[in-house]
Amino acid sequence: MFDKSPGVKPIWFGIRTCLLWVFCTVGIGYFQARSQWISAGAPFKQTPVQQVVASPDGSRIYYCSRLALDSGNWSSDNSILEYANGQWDTIGHFPASLIYSVVVFHDTLLIASGYQLLSDGSSDVRIAYWNGSGWSAYGSVPSGAIRSLRVNDDTLYAVGGFEIADGHLVRGIAMRIGSEWVPVADPIQDETAYFRDVVELNGQLVAICDAESDGGRGVYRLENGGWQLLDGGIQGDLCSAQSIAVYHNELYVSGQITMACGNAGQGIMRLVNDQWEPVGLGLQRDLGNNSDFAFAYSLLVHDDLLWAGGYFRFAGGVEAKGLATWDGTEWCSVPGNFSDGLGHNGIMAMDFYYDTLFVAANMVDGDSVNFAAKFIGESYAGPCSSALSVVEENTSAGYVIFPNPATSQIRFTPPLDRRERIRIVDALGRMIGQFSGPVAEADVSAWPRGIYTAIFEGRPPVRFVLH
């Protein structure tokens, strides 16, 4: 037994303090959730990455942007990063060239930039290929930026803000035929057009393009030799498309897209029977907020899922901090915090190295990862939107609204009697509509998708979801 005399008490107090410190620093840390992400160990200092892309067989993954090597200055030391067999390597040396895109085409590595790539005196080299020992020009593009290189149906495309390729007027998009770049179609009329990406849907090319046409912009399909705006395009002066993908034979577009500006979806939309439709509750910065921008910089298809990585905090009403999957019916979150907190600016690009997801992000779960992180968890599966429902603990004293979530109609149980009146407000407290009895059901098909609250007189309020 410890002596409680004054001379011994300070020693016991010190022991207790030490034990408490050990518990707080070790014990509490033990019970905290371990991050399922770690730094991918990319060498040298990186700045925001433009693209992360895997080789077709998934055996290599490439990061491109600005890379500071020995001098600490990207404008002097920029290179391409390659990861394979657990090790990083650098390919090439491109002073003052921001690398926008990397692609592997017919086992040949190609890169694209907005500036001169090679220091051989040529000022028109914006696309180059790796010949095994060095880089060589892959056609002539005198001016403008190449935003992306994309392979569709074994055809290589270049898109961006350039006018001429190999002497042809292409205005933002060209395809490689034989040994030269040629026009894809009649050039788009808008001389300021800037193409961001291109995919193939049902044998037709669909492209993201910042061009104005017929009161909309953003998404065009190649029809009869010309580019036609798809179903009004993206609405809203500040809205634009950032990424595009084809999943389950449907077109998905994400970007600065809000329902408040008149678009069908929040942060992401899909084309169904040539009409834009929402993708569940979409991508939101705050739950129920269909006004602020929240979007995916990157969309990709893997393991029969559509993966969305970007800057959002909710997907389909489920907390998902920058990374989520869509299976055609519901959204599911993926573990990891990329978008909530200082420095958590979202995922800028991503791809799979075999079955391991690599992302470009500044911060993950509170830690800096030098813009390159990889998943080390056991499962990518998180909570899904199918679990999103509203359960009222005391239904005997109030109403039930069903189905919940709903799509086009809601029903009241019991039906509103002739003396009953309710108000419906959105997640921001704005009144959307009101009903007076007798009412058994209501048409809500034209309402924006989101979370709503039904406020009754003298009864508990009821929340419900439209998706």
Side-chain angles (χ1 to χ4, degrees), residues 123-168:
S123 61
D124 59 353
V125 179
R126 283 170 170 75
I127 306 175
Y129 74 97
W130 179 252
N131 61 24
S133 59
W135 292 94
S136 299
Y138 201 69
S140 172
V141 179
S143 62
I146 307 296
R147 168 63 183 250
S148 179
L149 297 171
R150 168 79 82 162
V151 178
N152 291 300
D153 194 23
D154 202 39
T155 300
L156 177 65
Y157 296 88
V159 301
F162 56 103
E163 286 278 316
I164 305 296
D166 284 340
H168 302 286

Side-chain angles (χ1 to χ4, degrees), residues 32-117:
Q32 288 179 339
R34 242 183 100 194
S35 176
Q36 299 187 62
W37 294 86
I38 62 171
S39 169
F44 315 112
K45 174 64 178 175
Q46 293 194 81
T47 54
V49 171
Q50 295 294 320
Q51 190 179 50
V52 177
V53 63
S55 59
D57 63 357
S59 65
R60 284 172 168 74
I61 201 160
Y62 300 92
Y63 278 65
C64 67
S65 177
R66 302 179 175 122
L67 177 66
L69 300 179
D70 297 333
S71 72
N73 184 347
W74 76 268
S75 64
S76 300
D77 295 326
N78 196 26
S79 184
I80 307 296
L81 278 179
E82 179 190 65
Y83 181 88
N85 300 319
Q87 294 184 335
W88 289 96
D89 199 358
T90 58
I91 305 177
H93 181 64
F94 309 100
S97 294
L98 169 60
I99 308 299
Y100 281 109
S101 185
V102 177
V103 71
V104 177
F105 179 59
H106 291 175
D107 296 326
T108 299
L109 180 66
L110 297 108
I111 61 172
S113 174
Y115 309 93
Q116 175 183 343
L117 280 173

Side-chain angles (χ1 to χ4, degrees), residues 208 234-235 239-244 252-270 276-285 289-299 306 308-316 331 449:
I208 296 176
I234 307 296
Q235 303 299 308
C239 292
S240 63
Q242 302 288 334
S243 55
I244 188 170
Y252 287 75
V253 176
S254 182
Q256 293 186 176
I257 301 169
T258 66
M259 296 178 69
C261 287
N263 294 295
Q266 174 65 26
I268 187 170
M269 305 187 299
R270 62 176 173 173
W276 293 114
E277 291 190 358
V279 184
L281 295 180
L283 306 175
Q284 298 172 328
R285 182 174 178 178
N289 185 343
N290 289 326
S291 299
D292 290 344
F293 293 134
F295 52 88
Y297 288 107
S298 179
L299 295 174
L306 178 67
Y311 185 76
F312 52 88
R313 295 173 186 164
F314 292 88
W331 286 99
R449 308 297 90 176

Side-chain angles (χ1 to χ4, degrees), residues 70-392:
D70 297 333
S71 72
N73 184 347
W74 76 268
S75 64
S76 300
D77 295 326
N78 196 26
S79 184
I80 307 296
L81 278 179
E82 179 190 65
Y83 181 88
N85 300 319
Q87 294 184 335
W88 289 96
D89 199 358
T90 58
I91 305 177
H93 181 64
F94 309 100
S97 294
L98 169 60
I99 308 299
Y100 281 109
S101 185
V102 177
V103 71
V104 177
F105 179 59
H106 291 175
D107 296 326
T108 299
L109 180 66
L110 297 108
I111 61 172
S113 174
Y115 309 93
Q116 175 183 343
L117 280 173
L118 305 180
S119 57
D120 61 357
S122 300
S123 61
D124 59 353
V125 179
R126 283 170 170 75
I127 306 175
Y129 74 97
W130 179 252
N131 61 24
S133 59
W135 292 94
S136 299
Y138 201 69
S140 172
V141 179
S143 62
I146 307 296
R147 168 63 183 250
S148 179
L149 297 171
R150 168 79 82 162
V151 178
N152 291 300
D153 194 23
D154 202 39
T155 300
L156 177 65
Y157 296 88
V159 301
F162 56 103
E163 286 278 316
I164 305 296
D166 284 340
H168 302 286
L169 177 64
V170 295
R171 194 162 290 158
I173 182 168
M175 61 183 177
R176 188 77 176 185
I177 301 296
S179 60
E180 68 173 341
W181 294 101
V182 300
V184 173
D186 292 335
I188 199 165
Q189 293 301 309
D190 188 345
E191 295 183 1
T192 65
Y194 190 104
F195 281 78
R196 295 181 177 272
D197 207 348
V198 60
V199 296
E200 186 176 286
L201 174 67
N202 297 326
Q204 292 180 297
L205 291 180
V206 180
I208 296 176
C209 178
D210 295 338
E212 297 286 347
S213 176
D214 300 326
R217 66 182 180 283
V219 189
Y220 290 80
R221 181 167 55 202
L222 185 59
E223 297 180 3
N224 301 319
W227 294 101
Q228 304 296 323
L229 191 67
L230 269 176
D231 189 38
I234 307 296
Q235 303 299 308
D237 291 340
L238 298 179
C239 292
S240 63
Q242 302 288 334
S243 55
I244 188 170
V246 174
Y247 174 66
H248 285 183
N249 210 37
E250 292 179 345
L251 184 75
Y252 287 75
V253 176
S254 182
Q256 293 186 176
I257 301 169
T258 66
M259 296 178 69
C261 287
N263 294 295
Q266 174 65 26
I268 187 170
M269 305 187 299
R270 62 176 173 173
L271 194 70
V272 180
N273 297 324
D274 277 355
Q275 291 188 331
W276 293 114
E277 291 190 358
V279 184
L281 295 180
L283 306 175
Q284 298 172 328
R285 182 174 178 178
D286 301 299
L287 191 60
N289 185 343
N290 289 326
S291 299
D292 290 344
F293 293 134
F295 52 88
Y297 288 107
S298 179
L299 295 174
L300 65 89
V301 178
H302 181 79
D303 280 348
D304 199 36
L305 293 172
L306 178 67
W307 297 69
Y311 185 76
F312 52 88
R313 295 173 186 164
F314 292 88
V318 173
E319 187 174 67
K321 297 181 179 180
L323 185 58
T325 62
W326 168 259
D327 68 357
T329 302
E330 65 180 3
W331 286 99
C332 294
S333 66
V334 177
N337 174 19
F338 299 90
S339 60
D340 189 9
L342 183 64
H344 292 70
N345 300 322
I347 291 175
M348 286 154 279
M350 61 183 182
D351 208 342
F352 280 86
Y353 171 73
Y354 294 114
D355 287 323
T356 298
L357 183 60
F358 278 64
V359 302
N362 182 34
M363 301 280 289
V364 183
D365 293 330
D367 291 327
S368 174
V369 291
N370 193 26
F371 291 100
K374 65 179 180 179
F375 187 77
I376 58 169
E378 295 182 357
S379 174
Y380 292 104
C384 298
S385 57
S386 60
L388 181 64
S389 61
V390 181
V391 179
E392 299 296 328

Side-chain angles (χ1 to χ4, degrees), residues 278-282 287 315-318 326 329-331 384-392 400-411 442 444-445 447-453 462-467:
V279 184
L281 295 180
L287 191 60
V318 173
W326 168 259
T329 302
E330 65 180 3
W331 286 99
C384 298
S385 57
S386 60
L388 181 64
S389 61
V390 181
V391 179
E392 299 296 328
V400 173
I401 292 179
F402 72 95
N404 190 8
T407 301
S408 58
Q409 286 190 323
I410 57 174
R411 298 178 180 85
V444 294
S445 59
W447 292 11
R449 308 297 90 176
I451 297 177
Y452 294 88
T453 302
V462 178
R463 288 196 304 152
F464 63 97
V465 174
L466 297 184
H467 70 87

